[in-house]
């Protein structure tokens, strides 16, 4: 069976641990080219087997001089596939191919002026001694036609001081003598700056130039094309078999289910598990929305007791997540007998950020997303995850193209473990109820202030402490509720929302008046990073 990348042509991004690898993947996809992130341990044979049209070496925190710093298998340079090195990737390419990287402790950080330089010779011809003057303009091929000087974003200590033999320097800065170099003959390109961040205004042009002029991409990646290709893949993968899909009401599982339903129709049964940790009236609203707008008729399973029992006594966030992940699977396995006997496949709306944040061989585990790192090993299902390589806004475009209503597509994300990761400390049905009521107030007030559209996610968190208050001349000793409201365009970074004080005041007032056992409200003013969006 042909994968999406085989059918569309893929650019592989070798992740050397950079904070920005996912942004490179985004830029490539914005240029209409399918991209995936792979670990540096990938062998040349594994890479060649994917038939990539290009490879990008990401940045990373290491120095090429540090023992055990991540390396590219040197045979990859011999595959004849175009390569673009970025920051650490540029230094690594220089070092592995015989150039010189200087160890530096001071470094160059932030916006920097970069001057373009004409290549010293035209190595697009096989004879390096006979310059073809037409290509010897400032910036070479990769940076051709850009203004000089040009603002770029730098974040490095070490730098390349001499490119490998046969490569030409095409840009420099005051601190970095080799800010970009290229070897047109062998399709090797490198930039010390970060083209993937918005602080580099020419970044997208550079990425597109590499993709179009070096890799020969045809910009075939689009939402429409993704849907067509995925439907074929899903049909082939399922054949005549049946599958079940766990719906959470969030956009990810809704889009995954709709895509699979469109591909295989009644072979799919959708299940909505009420974990007891959903938001106020959520299960009913989700079922009504699906009934109204799609062909999907979700089966509801009440499993609140089961989840509370499994979570009793657990305070550790990772154990909570894994417990929720496992309980979901056990509920699906048991429900299968009644709703879709013989179902071998479980459809999940797993997204790329879930995969990255759950930890890969080279990325630290930030949180085990219930649908990735939280799955039990002895699970009796094969996973079908058609959105595994997409970012949230790409999933939303797919949802819209599939005809889902805005109320589903632009619904705020809600984590699979639900209120479990918003109740700090031990979870009880009573605490879940307190949080559900407080959370409903937050969302109602933001909706009535017409602020929901500007906010990525807004919710309440129940803390595991109590504080003293006074209500009606009586001492109270109750829980504080934290309000979390963040802005952003994907869940990888976020900023706290500057909500009007009047709205915060109203929310606080209503919560302490209406929600039993809560006597204090605080507002979380931390961005991601360094915090995360959910508290656990
Ligand atoms: P964090 O808290 O890591 O969250 O900044 C990033 C985004 O992911 C959502 N989230 C989850 N979604 N299963 C999910 O389906 C999970 O286990 C999970 N954990 C976090 C979170 O709500 C935010 O949108």
């Amino acid at each position: 069976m042909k994968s999406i990348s085989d059918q569309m042509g893929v650019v592989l991004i070798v992740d050397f641990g950079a904070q920005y690898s996912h942004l490179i993947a985004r830029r490539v996809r914005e240029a209409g080219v399918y991209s995936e992130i792979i670990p540096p341990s990938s062998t040349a044979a594994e890479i060649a087997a994917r038939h990539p049209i290009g490879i990008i070496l990401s940045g990373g925190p290491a120095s090429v001089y540090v023992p055990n710093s991540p390396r590219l298998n040197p045979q990859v340079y011999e595959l004849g596939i175009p390569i673009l090195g970025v920051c650490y990737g540029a230094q690594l390419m220089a070092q592995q191919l015989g150039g010189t990287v200087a160890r530096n402790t001071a470094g160059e950080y932030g916006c920097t002026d970069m001057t373009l330089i004409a290549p010293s010779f035209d190595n697009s011809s096989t004879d390096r001694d006979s310059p073809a003057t037409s290509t010897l303009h400032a910036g070479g091929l990769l940076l051709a036609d850009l203004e000089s000087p040009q603002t770029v974003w730098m974040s490095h200590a070490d730098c390349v001081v001499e490119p490998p033999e046969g490569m030409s320097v095409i840009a420099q800065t005051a601190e970095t003598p080799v800010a970009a170099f290229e070897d047109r003959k062998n399709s090797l390109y490198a930039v010390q700056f970060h083209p993937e961040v918005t602080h580099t205004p020419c970044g997208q042009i550079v990425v597109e130039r590499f993709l179009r002029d070096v890799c020969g991409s045809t910009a075939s990646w689009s939402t429409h094309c993704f849907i067509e290709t995925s439907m074929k893949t899903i049909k082939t993968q399922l054949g005549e078999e049946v599958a079940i899909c766990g719906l959470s009401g969030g956009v990810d599982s809704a889009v995954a289910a709709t895509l699979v339903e469109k591909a295989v129709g009644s072979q799919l049964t959708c299940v909505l598990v009420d974990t007891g940790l959903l938001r106020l009236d959520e299960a009913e609203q989700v079922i009504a929305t699906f009934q109204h707008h799609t062909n999907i008729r979700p089966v509801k399973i009440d499993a609140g007791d089961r989840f509370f029992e499994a979570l009793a006594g657990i305070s550790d966030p990772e154990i909570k997540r894994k417990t929720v992940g496992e309980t979901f699977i056990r509920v699906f396995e048991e429900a299968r007998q009644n709703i879709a006997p013989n179902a071998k496949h479980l459809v999940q709306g797993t997204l790329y950020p879930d995969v990255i944040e759950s930890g890969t061989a080279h990325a630290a585990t930030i949180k085990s997303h219930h649908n990735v790192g939280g799955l039990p090993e002895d699970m009796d299902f094969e996973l079908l995850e058609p959105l595994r390589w997409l970012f949230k806004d790409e999933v939303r475009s797919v949802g819209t193209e599939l005809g889902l209503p805005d109320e589903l597509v632009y619904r705020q994300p809600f984590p699979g473990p639900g209120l479990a990761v918003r109740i700090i400390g031990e979870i009880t049905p009573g605490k879940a109820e307190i949080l559900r009521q407080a959370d409903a107030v937050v969302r109602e007030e933001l909706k009535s202030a017409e602020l929901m559209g500007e906010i990525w996610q807004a919710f309440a968190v129940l803390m595991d402490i109590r504080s003293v208050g006074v209500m009606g001349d009586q001492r109270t000793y109750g829980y504080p509720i934290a309000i979390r409201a963040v802005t952003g365009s994907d869940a990888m970074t976020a900023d706290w929302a500057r909500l009007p004080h009047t709205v915060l005041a109203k929310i606080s007032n209503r919560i302490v008046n209406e929600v039993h056992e809560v006597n204090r409200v605080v507002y979380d003013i931390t961005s991601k990073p360094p915090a995360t969006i959910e508290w656990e």
Side-chain angles (χ1 to χ4, degrees), residues 117-382:
I117 303 174
S120 43
F121 52 82
D122 177 12
N123 66 3
S124 62
S125 108
T126 43
D127 178 1
R128 289 185 180 152
D129 297 327
S130 65
T133 45
S134 61
T135 56
L136 293 179
H137 44 63
L141 173 72
L142 191 66
L143 309 177
D145 305 328
L146 295 181
E147 274 181 25
S148 181
Q150 178 72 230
T151 304
V152 294
W153 200 74
M154 291 286 196
S155 179
H156 66 107
D158 295 354
C159 71
V160 180
V161 288
E162 205 181 316
E165 204 193 324
M167 300 203 181
S168 278
V169 183
I170 52 171
Q172 66 181 24
T173 70
E175 303 294 328
T176 305
V178 185
F181 58 91
E182 68 181 28
D183 171 357
R184 294 182 60 186
K185 183 175 159 232
N186 293 305
S187 296
L188 299 174
Y189 296 79
V191 292
Q192 180 58 66
F193 61 89
H194 287 271
E196 69 276 25
V197 302
T198 48
H199 309 289
T200 299
C202 65
Q204 188 66 17
I205 298 176
V206 174
V207 170
E208 285 182 15
R209 179 139 321 138
F210 173 70
L211 297 172
R212 195 188 54 223
D213 297 347
V214 180
C215 306
S217 88
T218 50
S220 56
W221 167 256
S222 66
T223 304
H224 180 72
C225 173
F226 168 80
I227 293 174
E228 298 283 304
T229 318
S230 302
M231 281 175 49
K232 278 191 217 145
T233 312
I234 293 164
K235 272 188 197 150
T236 318
Q237 202 168 342
L238 278 185
E240 299 298 312
E241 289 174 3
V242 293
I244 62 176
C245 174
L247 290 177
S248 67
V251 59
D252 310 340
S253 57
V255 172
T258 310
L259 191 59
V260 176
E261 194 276 334
K262 209 169 154 135
V264 298
S266 60
Q267 283 169 257
L268 178 72
T269 303
C270 290
V271 178
L272 188 133
V273 180
D274 187 342
T275 56
L277 296 158
L278 295 177
R279 289 171 289 188
L280 195 67
D281 300 331
E282 184 146 40
E284 294 69 27
Q285 281 169 9
V286 169
I287 289 174
T289 309
F290 274 99
Q291 281 178 340
H292 197 233
H293 295 282
T294 71
N295 295 329
I296 295 171
R297 299 289 171 266
V299 178
K300 182 170 167 243
I301 299 177
D302 288 311
D305 292 348
R306 181 90 188 255
F307 277 83
F308 285 120
E309 202 177 301
L311 287 163
I314 299 174
S315 297
D316 179 87
E318 274 296 287
I319 302 179
K320 273 187 196 173
R321 287 175 164 274
K322 292 195 165 145
T323 305
V324 170
E326 166 153 17
T327 310
F328 262 118
I329 296 297
R330 300 301 173 226
V331 168
F332 288 136
E333 283 170 353
E334 283 170 28
R336 169 170 49 189
Q337 309 311 326
N338 301 327
I339 55 169
N342 309 324
K344 282 201 202 106
H345 293 85
L346 179 67
V347 178
Q348 294 205 127
T350 309
L351 302 196
Y352 207 13
D354 304 349
V355 178
I356 297 173
E357 296 218 332
S358 290
T360 59
H362 294 271
T365 302
I366 308 294
K367 296 180 181 185
S368 299
H369 280 233
H370 75 289
N371 47 351
V372 187
L375 297 173
E377 278 175 15
D378 60 345
M379 175 173 79
D380 189 19
F381 281 114
E382 258 177 60

